[in-house]
Amino acid sequence: MNRIPCTRPAASFEKLHQAIGETLDTTAADLSPETLLDVFKALADKHDTDVNSPFNMGYYCIDADVASLAALDETERRAANIAVEGQHPAALAFELHSVERVLSAFGIDPATGHGHYTSGGTEANLTAMIVALGDRISHRNRKLPKSAYDPGLCLDADGKPQPFEYVHHGVVPLKVRPTVYVTAQTHASIDKNARTLVGIASIRDVPMDKDLRMNPRALERIIVADRKSGRFAPFLVVGTVGATGSGIVDPLRRIADVCARQGVWLHVDAPWGGIAAFSPALKKTCLDGIELADSITFDPHKTLVPLGAGGSGMFLTRHRDAVARSFNVSGQPVATHDYAYMSLQGSRANNGLRVLSQLVEPRRLAARVEREARLGDLLRRKLRASGWTIASKTPLPVVTAVHPKMAAGDISAATIVRRLAKAGILAKAETLRPGETPALRLGIISRRTSEADIAAVVDVLDSIVG
């Protein structure tokens, strides 16, 4: 291979940290910013993973391009805080326009829906959980019986009774546990966020089918049984489009039907797989039913633009009023672009221009997304031809595979990952099912990856497994 390697020689973090402290010692004299940048570039170029390499096939962050870097530079030098009313109306208008384009791509009406940028997928998923709690753990939800909470604890400041609202009274009046429904393929950020809001005892695991997708029938059985037990208050189901480890896509339409019958909020976590929304062909294959989701997580920094200051995740929803109920502390109605009162964040950078740098070329973007899907199919074919078994089914360009020598115990996925890294290729090992041989995961993540790169990776794998 003569292309730019993704992986670089590993170094001890502790030694790097110590060396930086010693090099940047300002006890005796000041250092110039130029010295700081020189030190950073020298160490980062030597040791850090290069996501701009075509051989980044393991780390879900897209490579940089000229357009997105120019937009990032333009917004950063202006240092606009678009949450401050009236200070940066042009930057704010670009922000809203970018959000409206993304909402439309996912089938959400910008006139009634809402979206905003987040630091990443974890914050977007946290936002979904907060909004779902405020919308479904309420007297307004007919599926939440009055026996589920103590009216005596639903009082205003003067001690007068109030209808139960989670956003007013929190969890204290509840006699039941708010529950979230996930599978083994759901991102770990849901567990992390549950620890903050409702406790991990509120997480309920739903069985999967043979293809690692959430089983809608099992989901409904569990929700019905939980509610009938009198111990649980189902409020949120998390579906997945493009699971990190496997790339699977849950059956969104069937899950949405269950959620509609059971009065449960459906959140779809699509941080990487959501890029299919920008390809008419892949949207039909990957996102059937996405327009029925109550909310969606999408991460432009995984698929559109490099991760920059302010992050670049997104929270999207069909329910603008529900967002205002959870976050609007202004005491008066606010517009969807009053982001200080429509999100967790107060101060807010302008992410919209960076994302628009990709969205203003929709045909080129669709062609790129479809090309990457074809590269994923090519990688599957080449691996099969070399004797590998594909371990998960997905239309997205992420491939998990097991070689017969892995199944026999002659070599492990972890060992293959280490040997690939020495060749400059970043890959990951994934345990997809309990008791199964861990698989090798390779994804088409960089815009720079070509058919020749795919062939080179398979050649390296052939040499590793012998």
Side-chain angles (χ1 to χ4, degrees):
M1 296 191 311
N2 57 7
R3 300 293 296 276
I4 300 171
C6 178
T7 54
R8 288 164 175 170
S12 162
F13 173 81
E14 290 73 16
K15 289 182 178 179
L16 280 172
H17 184 241
Q18 181 180 353
I20 290 168
E22 294 170 352
T23 305
L24 301 183
D25 184 4
T26 54
T27 304
D30 290 354
L31 295 176
S32 68
E34 290 77 15
T35 298
L36 171 66
L37 292 177
D38 286 345
V39 172
F40 173 79
K41 286 188 286 187
L43 292 177
D45 286 348
K46 184 176 181 180
H47 297 294
D48 285 358
T49 295
D50 185 358
V51 299
N52 293 305
S53 166
F55 297 112
N56 173 25
M57 307 185 82
Y59 176 50
Y60 290 105
C61 268
I62 196 168
D63 51 306
D65 70 343
V66 172
S68 58
L69 289 177
L72 180 62
D73 178 69
E74 187 66 29
T75 53
E76 290 300 295
R77 74 176 182 83
R78 293 176 183 272
N81 178 1
I82 62 171
V84 179
E85 183 178 0
Q87 296 300 299
H88 306 284
L92 179 59
F94 274 94
E95 186 91 350
L96 178 59
H97 181 71
S98 72
V99 169
E100 290 172 337
R101 286 203 177 205
V102 177
L103 285 169
S104 297
F106 282 94
I108 298 173
D109 184 358
T112 54
H114 169 80
H116 62 257
Y117 291 95
T118 63
S119 59
T122 296
E123 183 191 328
N125 285 336
L126 176 63
T127 300
M129 196 174 289
I130 291 170
V131 175
L133 278 166
D135 191 74
R136 300 304 160 104
I137 304 300
S138 162
H139 75 282
R140 292 172 287 102
N141 183 0
R142 295 180 180 178
K143 292 288 187 178
L144 185 71
K146 292 183 178 180
S147 60
Y149 52 89
D150 182 354
L153 295 174
C154 303
L155 308 174
D156 65 15
D158 297 322
K160 295 180 181 179
Q162 289 181 313
F164 173 60
E165 290 280 1
Y166 175 85
V167 296
H168 289 299
H169 309 110
V171 298
V172 172
L174 286 174
K175 300 178 181 179
V176 295
R177 176 172 289 282
T179 44
V180 182
Y181 298 84
V182 303
T183 73
Q185 290 296 308
T186 304
H187 194 268
S189 62
I190 300 300
D191 186 300
K192 181 191 292 186
N193 293 333
R195 291 166 185 258
T196 303
L197 291 175
V198 292
I200 57 175
S202 291
I203 299 290
R204 304 285 281 160
D205 286 317
V206 178
M208 300 178 293
D209 64 19
K210 62 182 178 61
D211 294 322
L212 301 172
R213 307 185 310 162
M214 181 180 284
N215 183 325
R217 290 184 178 180
L219 170 67
E220 188 153 30
R221 284 197 302 269
I222 295 172
I223 290 175
V224 170
D226 282 353
R227 187 173 280 130
K228 187 176 180 180
S229 75
R231 296 184 292 118
F232 301 104
F235 80 97
L236 176 64
V237 171
V238 181
T240 300
V241 172
T244 299
S246 64
I248 62 94
V249 177
D250 280 330
L252 301 182
R253 187 170 297 279
R254 292 176 61 200
I255 294 171
D257 289 343
V258 172
C259 291
R261 285 193 296 271
Q262 297 301 324
V264 180
W265 185 283
L266 172 58
H267 177 66
V268 175
D269 186 33
W272 181 68
I275 192 63
F278 300 93
S279 157
L282 275 183
K283 187 174 183 179
K284 293 178 182 178
T285 306
C286 301
L287 301 180
D288 179 45
I290 191 74
E291 72 281 359
L292 302 175
D294 294 294
S295 59
I296 302 165
T297 286
F298 173 59
D299 282 356
H301 71 261
K302 288 183 170 65
T303 54
L304 291 173
V305 294
L307 183 64
S312 196
M314 294 191 82
F315 169 76
L316 312 168
T317 180
R318 294 190 289 125
H319 308 289
R320 184 182 298 176
D321 290 346
V323 179
R325 186 180 300 114
S326 290
F327 299 119
N328 182 11
V329 295
S330 71
Q332 58 189 7
V334 296
T336 189
H337 56 271
D338 288 330
Y339 296 116
Y341 302 114
M342 291 291 284
S343 71
L344 279 166
Q345 295 181 20
S347 299
R348 176 177 289 275
N350 177 6
N351 284 292
L353 186 67
R354 188 166 21 133
V355 173
L356 277 173
S357 72
Q358 308 302 307
L359 301 186
V360 293
E361 296 184 292
R363 295 160 192 82
R364 182 179 180 182
L365 176 59
R368 190 209 101 198
V369 173
E370 290 159 14
R371 169 185 167 276
E372 289 167 359
R374 290 193 297 272
L375 287 176
D377 291 338
L378 174 64
L379 177 57
R380 290 184 189 92
R381 291 196 301 271
K382 285 185 172 295
L383 286 174
R384 286 193 181 104
S386 290
W388 294 71
T389 298
I390 304 304
S392 59
K393 293 174 61 176
T394 176
L396 294 167
V398 58
V399 181
T400 58
V402 176
H403 192 271
K405 289 190 175 181
M406 296 163 67
D410 296 333
I411 191 169
S412 68
T415 297
I416 294 174
V417 167
R418 288 194 296 271
R419 293 184 182 177
L420 285 172
K422 289 182 179 179
I425 301 164
L426 182 62
K428 297 292 181 180
E430 298 286 350
T431 301
L432 300 178
R433 301 171 182 86
E436 281 194 359
T437 301
L440 178 71
R441 169 166 64 82
L442 297 161
I444 310 302
I445 300 168
S446 170
R447 282 175 277 223
R448 293 168 168 81
T449 304
S450 67
E451 291 187 8
D453 298 321
I454 297 295
V457 169
V458 174
D459 285 346
V460 173
L461 284 171
D462 285 345
S463 68
I464 291 173
V465 298

